[in-house]
Amino acid sequence: MRNITVQRFDLLVCYDVETTTKEGRRRLRQVAKTCERHGQRVQFSVFECRLTKELWLKMKRRLLDIMDQELDSLRVYYLGSPREEHLEVYGRNGYVDFSGTLAV
């Protein structure tokens, strides 16, 4: 049996959605739900994601379809791997490494 390695991207996805209107609040919920499906919330509008290229392109397409380019902002930072070598966390850290051993 051959071992196939799938390349994954470690990303930090941050967004700011204008919420003074009903439409803006709807966009905010849609952006948050999309990010929750693909990553792990580490702050209110900040998600860490580990995705294949295909999943990342699908997520990005969805986020760009939701956003109002005139009012909202999306920032994506491509992190080096392993993530631990490129990240310092102070205070509460709710990140869970799902690729490691998990005890239930």
Side-chain angles (χ1 to χ4, degrees), residues 13-15 28 32 35-36 41-47 92:
V13 178
C14 314
Y15 57 85
L28 176 64
C35 290
E36 286 171 349
R41 186 187 298 261
V42 293
Q43 292 186 355
F44 288 117
S45 298
V46 181
F47 286 79
R92 187 178 62 82

Side-chain angles (χ1 to χ4, degrees), residues 71-86:
L71 302 173
D72 305 332
S73 173
L74 175 68
R75 290 179 178 258
V76 179
Y77 298 91
Y78 294 85
L79 305 175
S81 292
R83 110 188 225 294
E84 294 76 17
E85 291 181 9
H86 303 277

Side-chain angles (χ1 to χ4, degrees), residues 12-23:
L12 188 68
V13 178
C14 314
Y15 57 85
D16 188 24
V17 177
E18 179 280 320
T19 59
T20 59
T21 64
K22 184 177 178 180
E23 294 79 18

